[in-house]
Amino acid sequence: MTTTFGAAAAVGKDSSIPALPSSFSGLKSASTSLLLCKRPQLFRSSAAQHPSLIRAVSTPVKPDAPVEQKRSKVEIIKEHSNFIRYPLNEELLTDAPNINESAIQLIKFHGSYQQYNRDERGGRSYSFMLRTKNPCGKVSNELYLAMDDLADQFGIGTLRLTTRQTFQLHGVLKKDLKTVMSTIIKSMGSTLGACGDLNRNVLAPAAPIHRKDYLFAQETAENIAALLTPQSGFYYDMWVDGEKVMSAEPPEVVKARNDNSHGTNFTNSPEPIYGTQFLPRKFKIAVTIPGDNSVDLFTNDIGVVVVSDANGEPQGFNLYVGGGMGRTHRMENTFPRLAEPLGYVPKEDILYAVKAIVVTQRENGRRDDRRYSRMKYLISSWGIEKFRTVVEGYYGKKFEPCHELPRWEFESYLGWHEQGDGGLFCGLHVDSGRIKGAMKTTLREVIEKYNLNVRITPNQNIILCDIRQAWKRPITTALAQGGLLQPRYVDPLNVTAMACPAMPLCPLAIAEAERGIPDILKRVRTVFEKVGLKYKESVVIRITGCPNGCARPYMAELGLVGDGPNSYQFWLGGTPNQTTLATVFKEKVKIHDLEKVLEPLFYHWKRKRLSKESFGEFTNRMGKEKMLELVDKWEGIPQGPSQYNLKLFADKETYEKVDAIAKLQDKSAQQLAMEIIRNFVASNQNGKVE
């Protein structure tokens, strides 16, 4: 993993992060709260052997006069919430369409955000966004059909696939929350922990490939998700009157959660791992196999990679820590960061190692300033060696060095593939993950008719699973009629592009993302054609409406991050396999000036790149100053004699018919016509059409 343009890598000890207040010690002292259970000693016999190790809670200067610690407002709300219940339970009973600030913070733990439509003027029209939690992106047939129904009955008629393999359901009114939540729960789904200061959805490769390493990665992701699921029952109390609707947990998960041999747990607490305060901020984990970076592994707090022997038998895991995307504009001591190697653990220890990392963040992460509360800032402040030492105290063992792995590649899993068990799976591209209109109707019909389970990918796409060979043709036909095309018919720019929802419902958005990306991709394609780049060539483009980075723009070859109305920061230097961190290239670029920046960049990439050099690799090799010079001195494409004189449409009637079809696919008539011609030529061999 690397950073670009010669910028200092955001790894190791970083003195630019504001120092912890001298009185800060992670968790609030138990003596000042009846709700916070007494903490066990961090190290027992190991403490005497390692006197330099950091303790979880600092010793007060005087036993009867504990030092007052600065804490954020959210920490106080959590402390007094009776494990994420009060005052949300009371706010849900009022007639108001919204809830108060304390309840807003608490409902995140239940998987929901309060929003309002920012396009509307006058009074605010409040609604709630619900996010599901689907480890590995797995969605049962029953749950998919339930979500589809809920979107129509209680939402805005659309479903959104997220970059963390979950659903988002927008537009739910407060009065309908309990009905919607209980329906999801009783359909074997959950929204518990999809938002809030705890472990979020655990990613894993979505492909239902029946191979030992893939199956083991997915099983591990599900076990980690179970290990870090809240235990105090607040979710079920709120939405199904205390009735727990859940399957039995694997015994190894229960054993790892209850183990307190190294001082990880709150004793006699309904939340043995989280306590009353949960974590300082969100926490993200991804599991994968060597070579498959469909999960954007290095953007996570913890990255877990299966390591197998020569016979394909999983033996253990490489662990990577400290990734994260969020940052704040004009605050240089907030930054995106790649995860770095922590060590290797045998497979039977993975739950204990993950728990030790989580507890290290719980005890030492910032709780006074939420801008610096992610684990990446703790590791950047401490350095990886100190972090590893503290984690080893909770783990009870030393980490082995990470095993060497093959080169990472991005896997989309689009199109038809063998599962390895006799069945097929079909990966379908969904622009920005928004399932709507004819696409939504068609997916419903196919999934319901053939009783299919589905998977959501980290790239906002969907996979139909367990398809019989005899169903391939009728399903392909039905999908095409609904606008769900095979990969060869999707613009390569769209295949890897991502955008967050942004306007109009996200309260943090300062620029368009999902609504703006279709036009931006069309304009990029036009620039490609203008400078002579081929249709099959592409760059990874990701757009977010604010710097929080939900669509992971800081890993893109071209990242656009909203920094004002119709204005974006441009980030360059990510790579197609998602292992290189981009850096900021230009600030405050108005959207109408897009071509002024992109045209010289793509023109010189076309002419000066090395063999098979991606756009991101090219910009890294050239360096920021040189790329800025190319943009600043650009006077347009050098004029030369026209090589082609193409006219696609001979009559207006044909043009209008093609244009109408093209609009259904968010394309121009020219783009659709050229795609049809290219596909025809590609299928023609030796003058004979297949």
Side-chain angles (χ1 to χ4, degrees):
M1 300 86 67
T2 57
T3 54
T4 59
F5 292 150
V11 295
K13 190 170 183 178
D14 190 339
S15 59
S16 68
I17 302 172
L20 287 164
S22 58
S23 63
F24 182 76
S25 60
L27 285 174
K28 190 176 186 295
S29 171
S31 64
T32 62
S33 173
L34 296 176
L35 292 174
L36 185 63
C37 299
K38 185 178 180 181
R39 285 285 300 118
Q41 188 176 359
L42 171 56
F43 300 110
R44 294 177 178 172
S45 60
S46 62
Q49 301 171 21
H50 304 283
S52 63
L53 295 181
I54 305 302
R55 288 186 177 274
V57 180
S58 60
T59 303
V61 178
K62 297 180 181 179
D64 58 346
V67 177
E68 183 64 28
Q69 299 162 3
K70 181 182 177 182
R71 297 181 299 152
S72 70
K73 178 176 63 176
V74 176
E75 289 299 311
I76 297 171
I77 292 171
K78 288 187 288 186
E79 178 189 348
H80 294 97
S81 70
N82 186 20
F83 294 100
I84 318 299
R85 292 176 173 86
Y86 174 82
L88 177 59
N89 52 355
E90 294 184 353
E91 285 291 302
L92 291 173
L93 297 177
T94 70
D95 293 331
N98 60 320
I99 56 179
N100 67 21
E101 178 58 31
S102 294
I104 287 173
Q105 297 302 324
L106 297 181
I107 202 170
K108 294 177 184 178
F109 291 76
H110 296 257
S112 181
Y113 287 92
Q114 180 173 283
Q115 300 179 329
Y116 66 92
N117 191 333
R118 296 169 61 186
D119 283 346
E120 296 179 358
R121 295 295 176 258
R124 292 185 176 181
S125 176
Y126 288 102
S127 65
F128 291 80
M129 180 273 283
L130 273 61
R131 181 184 296 153
T132 60
K133 205 169 184 182
N134 310 88
C136 317
K138 290 184 178 181
V139 180
S140 68
N141 178 269
E142 178 185 4
L143 179 58
Y144 185 90
L145 298 179
M147 295 300 297
D148 184 78
D149 287 338
L150 291 172
D152 291 338
Q153 295 171 19
F154 301 102
I156 59 173
T158 71
L159 282 172
R160 196 172 199 280
L161 312 177
T162 78
T163 58
R164 292 201 69 80
Q165 298 183 274
T166 67
F167 287 115
Q168 283 186 176
L169 182 63
H170 292 91
V172 178
L173 299 181
K174 176 182 159 183
K175 66 181 180 64
D176 297 323
L177 276 173
K178 189 166 185 177
T179 299
V180 174
M181 289 283 203
S182 62
T183 301
I184 292 172
I185 293 168
K186 291 174 182 178
S187 301
M188 304 309 293
S190 177
T191 65
L192 173 58
C195 322
D197 298 342
L198 71 176
N199 180 55
R200 302 290 186 86
N201 198 50
V202 181
L203 305 188
I209 297 173
H210 282 251
R211 204 173 76 190
K212 289 179 181 179
D213 51 356
Y214 274 102
L215 295 174
F216 191 59
Q218 291 160 2
E219 178 187 352
T220 301
E222 291 175 313
N223 284 347
I224 291 173
L227 172 73
L228 299 175
T229 296
Q231 299 297 300
S232 54
F234 63 83
Y235 180 69
Y236 299 99
D237 287 350
M238 199 75 67
W239 308 112
V240 287
D241 301 322
E243 177 190 355
K244 287 194 175 183
V245 184
M246 56 198 309
S247 57
E249 293 181 316
E252 62 267 30
V253 172
V254 177
K255 182 180 178 182
R257 181 189 299 121
N258 293 337
D259 178 76
N260 197 27
S261 57
H262 300 286
T264 53
N265 288 19
F266 290 91
T267 55
N268 302 316
S269 171
E271 291 291 353
I273 295 178
Y274 290 128
T276 61
Q277 301 305 108
F278 288 78
L279 298 181
R281 280 294 303 274
K282 66 180 77 170
F283 200 88
K284 298 181 177 181
I285 301 175
V287 184
T288 191
I289 69 167
D292 184 339
N293 200 19
S294 59
V295 298
D296 258 357
L297 182 79
F298 302 104
T299 66
N300 289 270
D301 291 273
I302 305 177
V304 182
V305 184
V306 176
V307 176
S308 301
D309 62 17
N311 297 319
E313 290 289 341
Q315 300 298 309
F317 301 89
N318 279 1
L319 293 174
Y320 302 83
V321 292
M325 293 284 95
R327 49 178 285 277
T328 303
H329 284 317
R330 294 176 293 282
M331 294 188 68
E332 296 305 314
N333 47 17
T334 66
F335 45 79
R337 188 183 192 274
L338 295 183
E340 56 184 308
L342 179 69
Y344 170 88
V345 297
K347 62 183 180 182
E348 61 270 15
D349 284 356
I350 185 60
L351 297 180
Y352 299 90
V354 167
K355 182 179 175 182
I357 297 168
V358 170
V359 171
T360 300
Q361 162 66 355
R362 182 194 75 196
E363 292 298 298
N364 299 283
R366 296 280 294 267
R367 293 182 183 266
D368 61 325
D369 190 335
R370 291 176 65 80
R371 289 172 295 187
Y372 307 107
S373 291
R374 289 292 298 275
M375 195 171 76
K376 64 180 177 179
Y377 295 115
L378 177 64
I379 297 175
S380 292
S381 177
W382 278 7
I384 190 64
E385 295 301 328
K386 178 177 177 179
F387 183 83
R388 182 183 292 114
T389 298
V390 176
V391 173
E392 286 172 343
Y394 287 118
Y395 174 38
K397 301 179 182 180
K398 292 284 187 181
F399 289 106
E400 300 175 35
C402 283
H403 289 217
E404 187 172 343
L405 300 177
R407 173 181 167 82
W408 293 101
E409 299 293 343
F410 168 75
E411 303 285 353
S412 72
Y413 297 111
L414 296 179
W416 287 92
H417 304 269
E418 298 279 350
Q419 289 186 170
D421 63 348
L424 303 172
F425 71 88
C426 181
L428 300 168
H429 173 74
V430 181
D431 282 335
S432 297
R434 183 70 68 178
I435 298 177
K436 59 183 179 179
M439 176 194 298
K440 182 173 178 294
T441 301
T442 300
L443 274 176
R444 167 72 187 231
E445 291 172 351
V446 170
I447 291 169
E448 188 169 29
K449 178 178 180 179
Y450 296 97
N451 195 31
L452 303 179
N453 297 319
V454 307
R455 305 272 180 99
I456 302 170
T457 81
N459 220 51
Q460 301 177 299
N461 296 321
I462 193 167
I463 294 175
L464 307 183
C465 308
D466 307 317
I467 301 172
R468 297 179 186 176
Q469 296 281 349
W471 297 346
K472 180 178 179 180
R473 184 181 294 276
I475 286 178
T476 300
T477 301
L479 294 173
Q481 291 172 346
L484 288 152
L485 305 176
Q486 291 302 298
R488 64 181 181 273
Y489 299 123
V490 180
D491 190 318
L493 289 172
N494 292 63
V495 168
T496 56
M498 291 202 300
C500 69
M503 303 289 191
L505 293 177
C506 178
L508 302 177
I510 49 181
E512 295 283 2
E514 181 184 341
R515 295 196 303 194
I517 196 171
D519 182 63
I520 289 173
L521 293 177
K522 289 179 185 177
R523 291 166 67 181
V524 171
R525 174 57 65 195
T526 299
V527 173
F528 264 40
E529 294 173 351
K530 186 174 181 180
V531 302
L533 288 165
K534 296 179 181 178
Y535 178 78
K536 66 180 181 180
E537 295 180 289
S538 184
V539 298
V540 177
I541 300 174
R542 295 176 175 178
I543 303 176
T544 59
C546 82
N548 282 352
C550 293
R552 303 190 286 271
Y554 310 115
M555 302 300 289
E557 295 183 275
L558 172 62
L560 274 62
V561 179
D563 62 1
N566 299 312
S567 176
Y568 297 87
Q569 277 185 334
F570 275 43
W571 289 67
L572 300 180
T575 47
N577 66 353
Q578 307 303 303
T579 58
T580 304
L581 190 65
T583 55
V584 66
F585 175 63
K586 286 183 76 71
E587 309 256 5
K588 296 288 183 182
V589 177
K590 291 296 183 182
I591 191 63
H592 60 260
D593 290 329
L594 184 74
E595 288 79 3
K596 294 180 181 178
V597 178
L598 297 185
E599 192 173 287
L601 296 180
F602 292 148
Y603 177 85
H604 288 287
W605 174 46
K606 168 74 166 62
R607 284 152 181 80
K608 299 180 180 179
R609 59 186 168 180
L610 304 178
S611 176
K612 298 182 179 180
E613 186 175 43
S614 70
F615 178 67
E617 293 166 337
F618 169 74
T619 58
N620 293 336
R621 179 171 61 84
M622 297 294 287
K624 179 177 180 179
E625 296 306 316
K626 179 61 177 178
M627 300 302 289
L628 284 171
E629 179 184 340
L630 294 176
V631 172
D632 293 341
K633 294 184 177 180
W634 183 247
E635 295 181 353
I637 298 174
Q639 295 297 314
S642 177
Q643 187 176 359
Y644 304 108
N645 181 23
L646 302 178
K647 186 175 181 180
L648 292 174
F649 300 101
D651 62 275
K652 183 178 179 181
E653 182 180 359
T654 302
Y655 167 79
E656 289 176 345
K657 289 181 178 178
V658 174
D659 187 54
I661 299 171
K663 287 179 178 177
L664 296 176
Q665 302 179 24
D666 287 329
K667 298 174 182 176
S668 68
Q670 286 80 3
Q671 286 177 317
L672 180 59
M674 286 304 299
E675 286 181 22
I676 294 170
I677 293 170
R678 289 189 187 100
N679 292 328
F680 176 80
V681 173
S683 64
N684 189 321
Q685 294 181 348
N686 299 322
K688 296 181 179 180
V689 180
E690 293 180 337

